Amino acid sequence: MFFVQAGTPTSFTFVDPQQESELRSSIVNPIVKLVGDELVIRVKVLDAYGNPVPNQNVNLTLRRGFSVQTQTYRTDEFGIAEIRMAFATQDVGNWSFFLIASGIRLPPDWQQIYRILVLPKLDQVSRERVRGLGLPFLPPTVPSGQTPPSLSEILGIDPQVLQGRIVRYNPILRRFELVDPTSPWTEVGVGFFIKPRQNINIRPSTGRLPGTDSLEISLQPGWNLISFPIAVPMAWQLSTLRVRVGNSTLPLSQAFDVFAPFLWRWDDVSGSYKLIFDRTMAQGDFEGEIRPWESYFAYAFQTCSLIVPVPATVRKGNVSSHPSEWRLFSLKVERKEGTETLLLGLNRKGQKFEGTLPPNPVAPVRSALIGSDGGKTGIIVNPERQKVVWSLVLVGDSERDEEVTVSANNLAALDRSWALTLFDPATNITCSLRTGTYRLRLLAGEERKLQIVAERWIEKSLKVQNLRVIPLRGKFIAIEFNLTDSAQTEIIVQTLTGRTIRVIDKSFRTSGTHRIIWNGSVSGEQILPAGIYLVKVVARDHQGRIAQSTVSAKLR
């Protein structure tokens, strides 16, 4: 039996020729991996006679930014080493690497390096809902004379799944337009809406991240549906964003007349828009960062470019410690076909701000705030005063009556010293949005205007005073009482043992004197027998304080 002693390594190659080709291409356009993926590379080391070299060290040098890692692997009896690289959430970004065995390097050119682009994973895109989509990377670099890959190729999706199911927004013509997924794609910063023909998992095949400290997104006057080729969440901070108009560049915080300082993101689960704003300037119901894979509506007042820093310099935003200037909260208008979200706010510095609603990809907008010029808007921030009023307009379905509910969400920014109420002039009903939800029925084609009132609470005790019952003709009685402050109120009829027979009224009432007429019935036409009963009034205000008063009433 003969044993062959391996000589000095002279050959260091990849086991799989196809993988070798892919890695050679990655020198220009990185290999794309998603969080949770693993890259497995198999290399072999041979001597001058083609014999495998076992127990040979293979060194992997992995770079990301200023971080450098070195790992050592050893070849097996067949001269093969298997190198595994797994990618977690914190690994999102650009990676590069090279391999060395016995002084032999891959890639052989010391000026070159293999590249990997690690992207956050996108959940499965459902065929049931319209979803916003943006590319968190740049299209690949293509040699002169070579056709760029199509959008479907970049996304790793069968084009038939997207044919007729992906649109962009044309700011000049002010309309959504279909995108051909089979056409070459080279544009940067474009956002889309998609509703694929079947559930899909996006697996990008090629792409790259910005190699500079900032990137520019071109904007036309009006609404622009954009995305950010950024692979990690990034704080939306006006102090780090700039706007270019011609040859002039201004901080976004000084260019509100050029670019509206917020974005809108379509939330496919709720079927409504979410506001993106600077959390160092406001607190309340909005998002404070831009995310990978999302598209956003941005509004420009003139042709300009939005200059965005790449995450390497602003990955973590420092939240300001000084008090926020704005308090933002939301109104939720719910209908059978979905929910619409509107933003209201107060500005401590006394300046008014209004922002229009972006185009809806699913249905016409039928809920809006009324701006100073009478136009419909999606966000109004009013100067902070003792009492602030917003006007809300609701438009009914053109063909049928419908039930609508209005509620306030995320009122943490509006502290308990503020009362928030809704007034419906059509029904003369007032409802506390602190403690309840307002329900109404809109007739087909009806346009209903409501008022939303925020009023700073002036401390005074909550009491139910001067409760009395006045006999009227027959079984009818009048119940009168006085409230010292606004509160959600219940008027209850009980037996002398305290058993509740009927709740006569349950509504929000302002401070002052109130009068209710009761016909002595339990329900419908069922009349209580003659006797002595208790009438109780219970009041609960937006701070949770409770007051009540009880008086006896004799029914004839």
Side-chain angles (χ1 to χ4, degrees):
M1 181 178 292
F2 294 93
F3 294 93
V4 178
Q5 179 88 23
T8 302
T10 59
S11 172
F12 181 36
T13 60
F14 294 99
V15 173
D16 185 353
Q18 182 177 349
Q19 185 175 68
E20 181 179 9
S21 175
E22 292 174 353
L23 287 169
R24 193 182 308 118
S25 298
S26 78
I27 295 171
V28 177
N29 288 310
I31 294 173
V32 178
K33 292 293 180 180
L34 300 180
V35 168
D37 286 351
E38 186 178 51
L39 177 61
V40 180
I41 299 173
R42 300 178 75 232
V43 292
K44 59 183 176 182
V45 181
L46 304 176
D47 64 13
Y49 301 99
N51 298 315
V53 180
N55 298 318
Q56 173 63 48
N57 287 344
V58 175
N59 295 318
L60 165 70
T61 300
L62 192 61
R63 296 177 179 173
R64 183 187 182 205
F66 297 108
S67 172
V68 179
Q69 305 173 28
T70 301
Q71 299 172 15
T72 301
Y73 301 82
R74 295 184 75 86
T75 57
D76 61 15
E77 59 184 310
F78 303 105
I80 293 175
E82 185 174 87
I83 299 161
R84 291 180 176 271
M85 289 180 272
F87 303 103
T89 301
Q90 64 270 21
D91 297 325
V92 167
N94 275 320
W95 291 84
S96 58
F97 71 95
F98 61 87
L99 300 164
I100 293 180
S102 189
I104 307 172
R105 185 180 186 273
L106 292 176
D109 187 338
W110 286 77
Q111 301 298 317
Q112 296 179 341
I113 199 162
Y114 301 126
R115 302 181 189 277
I116 308 169
L117 172 57
V118 181
L119 297 173
K121 190 173 183 178
L122 179 65
D123 292 336
Q124 185 180 72
V125 179
S126 171
R127 65 187 180 118
E128 302 295 333
R129 299 191 295 262
V130 172
R131 189 198 193 283
L133 178 69
L135 302 183
F137 53 89
L138 298 170
T141 301
V142 178
S144 177
Q146 184 175 323
T147 303
S150 68
L151 188 60
S152 62
E153 289 173 330
I154 292 173
L155 294 173
I157 299 174
D158 181 350
Q160 294 300 317
V161 177
L162 291 180
Q163 198 71 49
R165 296 299 185 98
I166 180 168
V167 299
R168 61 188 296 176
Y169 187 75
N170 187 323
I172 298 175
L173 300 179
R174 300 180 182 180
R175 69 186 186 191
F176 290 104
E177 295 179 341
L178 286 172
V179 175
D180 183 356
T182 64
S183 296
W185 188 262
T186 59
E187 295 186 59
V188 174
V190 176
F192 309 95
F193 280 113
I194 65 171
K195 188 180 182 185
R197 297 181 183 276
Q198 64 188 51
N199 296 344
I200 57 173
N201 291 301
I202 294 178
R203 298 285 311 186
S205 60
T206 181
R208 57 193 171 90
L209 287 180
T212 57
D213 290 339
S214 63
L215 57 91
E216 290 195 28
I217 298 174
S218 299
L219 303 169
Q220 295 293 325
W223 285 111
N224 295 260
L225 186 59
I226 65 174
S227 65
F228 298 89
I230 295 173
V232 295
M234 190 188 82
W236 179 260
Q237 288 190 358
L238 305 191
S239 61
T240 66
L241 301 164
R242 292 174 292 157
V243 176
R244 189 191 308 281
V245 182
N247 295 324
S248 301
T249 302
L250 295 171
L252 179 51
S253 56
Q254 299 175 19
F256 286 11
D257 58 337
V258 178
F259 179 87
F262 56 83
L263 304 171
W264 292 96
R265 181 184 69 83
W266 178 257
D267 180 58
D268 61 318
V269 177
S270 65
S272 62
Y273 281 107
K274 302 287 187 181
L275 180 77
I276 288 79
F277 193 61
D278 188 338
R279 288 205 175 275
T280 69
M281 291 185 62
Q283 54 180 316
D285 186 24
F286 62 93
E287 297 175 355
E289 64 181 16
I290 53 178
R291 307 174 186 173
W293 295 113
E294 297 288 350
S295 62
Y296 298 89
F297 262 118
Y299 193 89
F301 297 100
Q302 57 183 290
T303 301
C304 62
S305 294
L306 177 64
I307 303 175
V308 184
V310 296
T313 56
V314 291
R315 184 163 299 169
K316 294 293 184 181
N318 295 320
V319 178
S320 172
S321 59
H322 61 75
S324 302
E325 298 172 11
W326 291 8
R327 307 167 185 257
L328 294 179
F329 58 95
S330 62
L331 285 182
K332 303 288 186 184
V333 181
E334 297 180 68
R335 306 170 189 256
K336 185 176 181 180
E337 68 270 17
T339 301
E340 293 170 307
T341 302
L342 304 170
L343 273 294
L344 288 72
L346 300 173
N347 186 352
R348 289 189 175 96
K349 289 194 172 181
Q351 298 166 326
K352 187 180 183 72
F353 180 84
E354 297 180 359
T356 57
L357 281 168
N360 191 304
V362 177
V365 175
R366 295 196 286 125
S367 306
L369 301 170
I370 304 300
S372 303
D373 60 355
K376 296 179 179 180
T377 71
I379 173 174
I380 296 181
V381 180
N382 282 325
E384 186 174 305
R385 298 192 179 98
Q386 180 65 38
K387 183 177 181 179
V388 183
V389 180
W390 296 266
S391 294
L392 169 67
V393 62
L394 306 177
V395 179
D397 185 88
S398 59
E399 298 180 353
R400 56 181 175 81
D401 297 354
E402 63 177 337
E403 301 293 330
V404 181
T405 62
V406 181
S407 60
N409 273 27
N410 297 303
L411 293 177
L414 198 67
D415 60 52
R416 305 296 294 189
S417 66
W418 288 86
L420 187 68
T421 56
L422 178 150
F423 175 64
D424 186 348
T427 59
N428 204 33
I429 293 176
T430 300
C431 172
S432 170
L433 295 179
R434 278 282 190 191
T435 58
T437 297
Y438 184 59
R439 292 175 171 81
L440 68 152
R441 185 175 184 83
L442 285 179
L443 302 178
E446 178 187 0
E447 183 174 294
R448 180 85 62 92
K449 290 185 178 179
L450 310 174
Q451 288 185 341
I452 309 297
V453 181
E455 189 170 10
R456 190 183 293 277
W457 176 66
I458 300 175
E459 187 169 358
K460 49 188 174 181
S461 59
L462 176 63
K463 294 181 180 179
V464 179
Q465 298 176 328
N466 304 323
L467 175 60
R468 61 176 182 159
V469 174
I470 305 170
L472 301 176
R473 186 185 299 274
K475 292 277 189 178
F476 284 79
I477 63 172
I479 303 169
E480 290 185 354
F481 60 93
N482 180 269
L483 287 177
T484 59
D485 201 359
S486 301
Q488 192 72 27
T489 308
E490 284 186 300
I491 303 173
I492 305 167
V493 178
Q494 297 178 326
T495 64
L496 292 176
T497 61
R499 180 173 62 87
T500 297
I501 300 173
R502 182 177 179 184
V503 178
I504 299 174
D505 181 77
K506 187 175 183 179
S507 61
F508 181 82
R509 296 181 178 275
T510 58
S511 59
T513 300
H514 301 272
R515 180 182 174 94
I516 300 292
I517 304 299
W518 178 46
N519 63 1
S521 66
V522 177
S523 61
E525 298 181 356
Q526 183 181 353
I527 304 297
L528 282 175
I532 298 176
Y533 298 89
L534 299 178
V535 175
K536 177 189 289 186
V537 176
V538 180
R540 181 192 298 270
D541 67 11
H542 69 278
Q543 291 190 315
R545 298 179 304 171
I546 299 176
Q548 62 183 29
S549 182
T550 306
V551 67
S552 62
K554 183 176 182 180
L555 290 186
R556 296 188 292 235

